[in-house]
DNA sequence: AACATAAGGATCGTTGAACAATTCGACAAG
DNA sequence: CTTGTCGAATTGTTCAACGATCCTTATGTT
């Protein structure tokens, strides 16, 4: 209907087929969205700390956009759970309570649990395998930050087994929220190392087509991760 | 750190502790949020039809708010999946594809499926029972619109078994999206009637504490609902 | 007649300024 | 030590303006 490339698309698998993948990038973004991208990075990377207030004037000034545009970006991130918008008081980097962390892991158990009960395709398994291998490589290099990002890719790949774009998106946001908490871990190695081998084990259970065992294994996995996180988190409230 | 009520909080459970619950009500809403509420109602009730363009100027004028404020409201609803924001073209009431409907039901199977596998408390069961009874009453009165809303309450009550605020919120949004599609059902009775007795049956399985049967029953339930919806939906694309 | 191109109008995207509403801290009074 | 009051700072909202983009229609070319 508005598919301007349709005529070339059905002309068999031409070399142009690859271009299809880049089409998502093609949809240019508004200034507000680009501003939101910048702020999202800053928040998840820890540049802005939880609880910190984000001044409209200061940031609008620093980024060279108007207050109105910045406010639109704030709304976007507020809906993603990264910012906390308090009426007449401004926006703050979200502070997650221990209860929030527990809830995030409840959601993970539901979404990831459903995922590992499905029969993965060969291609899906390949992506998961790649993430596991990346984590192992990073661990061998003592690159614990790299282990963390590979780990996140691993879990995101798990969720794709659900074959649901909405669940993929939900997981994306969930992990962004979790990253708000990860920064409290002063010792990333202690947090990430135990899970490298468990990723591998979970992958093997999937490859062996034993969904029930995989689900049980994942539950224990998430229980431990949650506890590790909450214990490092509770003290400083 | 910034908890101004801390001094009274740890002073034992004073009568003031009850006030804490009302704190959520205290956060009044901004104009943008109230505008979003209005538009959300209009969209889900079908006043604005899918595909219809919502003119910034016209609506801002009609509601007596500025374009900037309206745009903030649009952002909110866009993130909820009710509006489709196309750069430089405006916002449109979202048109869900058959693939979207399939995805929504995939998510329902995951979230509601996890819910019915849990052991409900007496209080949770009471809420579910109430929704079932409401649907039956409305059906007896030939009030098929009423059956629809009671049905929605039923499924929302199911999801609360997960004890997860985030899953509750996800379900809320999911059902709002689904309501965009429900309007294509010209015969609400044919769509809602079959599920009244199935709601009752599912409730009984929960009361009898047979989670696996409940889950299986729900899967079939959702399969049928999805098919009914897609069949009425596919033709007019 | 089919197609490409150009012009025009409508609408969105963004800005900057302005003012009202609200919060918060400081300071004075009880 | 609590309560009331004031004022600075910040947010909430409006408004007008202008450039950018899209859609339609008209125009011209092959």
């Amino acid at each position: 209907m508005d598919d301007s490339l349709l005529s070339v698309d059905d002309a068999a698998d031409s070399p142009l087929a690859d271009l299809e993948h880049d089409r998502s990038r093609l949809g240019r973004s508004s200034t507000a969205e680009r501003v939101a991208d910048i702020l999202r990075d800053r928040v998840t990377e820890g540049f802005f700390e939880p609880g910190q207030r984000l001044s409209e004037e200061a940031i609008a000034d620093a980024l060279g956009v108007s207050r109105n545009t910045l406010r639109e970006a704030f709304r976007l991130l507020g809906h993603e759970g990264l910012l906390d918008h308090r009426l007449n008081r401004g926006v703050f980097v979200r502070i997650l309570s221990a209860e929030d962390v527990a809830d995030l892991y409840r959601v993970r158990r539901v979404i990831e649990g459903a995922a590992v009960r499905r029969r993965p395709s060969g291609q899906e398994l390949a992506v998961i395998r790649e993430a596991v291998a990346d984590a192992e490589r990073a661990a061998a290099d003592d690159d614990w930050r790299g282990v963390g990002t590979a780990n996140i890719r691993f879990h995101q790949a798990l969720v794709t087994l659900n074959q649901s774009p909405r669940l993929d998106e939900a997981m994306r946001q969930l992990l962004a929220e979790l990253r708000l908490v990860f920064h409290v871990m002063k010792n990333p190695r202690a947090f990430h190392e135990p899970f490298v081998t468990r990723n591998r084990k979970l992958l093997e259970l999937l490859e062996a087509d034993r969904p029930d065992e995989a689900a049980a294994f994942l539950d224990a996995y998430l229980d431990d991760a949650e506890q590790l996180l909450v214990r490092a988190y509770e003290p400083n409230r």
Side-chain angles (χ1 to χ4, degrees), chain A:
Chain A
M1 193 177 286
D2 107 293
D3 205 344
S4 51
L5 290 182
L6 194 74
S7 51
V8 315
D9 279 353
D10 22 56
D13 314 57
S14 65
L16 291 178
D18 291 343
L19 282 178
E20 191 106 0
H21 296 301
D22 297 350
R23 194 141 80 174
S24 53
R25 278 199 250 169
L26 188 133
R28 299 135 311 165
S29 56
S30 66
T31 305
E33 284 167 37
R34 268 170 287 149
V35 170
D37 287 342
I38 293 175
L39 294 179
R40 187 185 302 106
D41 287 345
R42 290 292 186 168
V43 168
T44 56
E45 99 195 358
F47 180 82
F48 293 129
E49 288 180 18
Q52 182 175 344
R53 175 171 149 269
L54 303 184
S55 160
E56 287 190 358
E57 189 176 358
I59 294 182
D61 211 45
L63 292 179
V65 300
S66 76
R67 268 181 65 213
N68 283 319
T69 299
L70 177 63
R71 287 169 62 83
E72 290 205 355
F74 279 166
R75 293 280 180 186
L76 292 177
L77 296 176
H79 237 269
E80 293 182 21
L82 294 183
L83 298 183
D84 186 7
H85 199 140
R86 310 182 205 173
L87 193 59
N88 285 316
R89 306 224 280 125
V91 299
F92 300 77
V93 179
R94 177 92 176 278
I95 297 182
L96 291 183
S97 66
E99 181 47 46
D100 283 318
V101 175
D103 194 45
L104 287 169
Y105 274 88
R106 271 193 290 269
V107 178
R108 288 188 67 170
R109 275 186 274 269
V110 170
I111 296 182
E112 298 189 51
V116 298
R117 285 174 197 280
R118 289 175 156 258
R119 190 153 291 158
S121 75
Q123 190 161 10
E124 289 167 336
L125 271 180
V127 177
I128 298 175
R129 248 185 239 113
E130 193 55 42
V132 171
D134 282 352
E136 288 169 342
R137 262 191 296 274
D141 291 354
D142 265 15
D143 172 14
W144 301 107
R145 212 179 177 307
V147 173
T149 66
N151 203 25
I152 285 178
R153 274 231 317 289
F154 172 71
H155 287 280
Q156 211 140 22
L158 282 185
V159 171
T160 62
L161 300 184
N162 282 309
Q163 311 248 36
S164 164
R166 277 171 182 75
L167 288 179
D168 289 343
E169 171 62 17
M171 188 65 180
R172 209 189 56 75
Q173 285 195 21
L174 189 159
L175 289 173
E177 276 191 77
L178 266 186
R179 244 171 296 198
L180 284 177
V181 181
F182 285 163
H183 295 299
V184 308
M185 303 297 301
K186 37 212 158 203
N187 186 351
R189 173 172 186 166
F191 183 58
H192 290 304
E193 187 168 37
F195 298 107
V196 176
T197 63
R198 294 174 90 164
N199 288 355
R200 168 65 64 185
K201 171 73 174 167
L202 183 51
L203 168 61
E204 286 168 3
L205 287 173
L206 288 176
E207 288 173 326
D209 194 21
R210 301 156 112 174
D212 289 332
E213 293 173 60
F217 187 79
L218 177 67
D219 268 346
Y221 181 126
L222 292 176
D223 283 347
D224 290 345
E226 178 183 356
Q227 275 206 9
L228 227 54
L229 203 50
V230 170
R231 283 203 185 136
Y233 199 57
E234 265 297 358
N236 53 339
R237 288 213 337 154

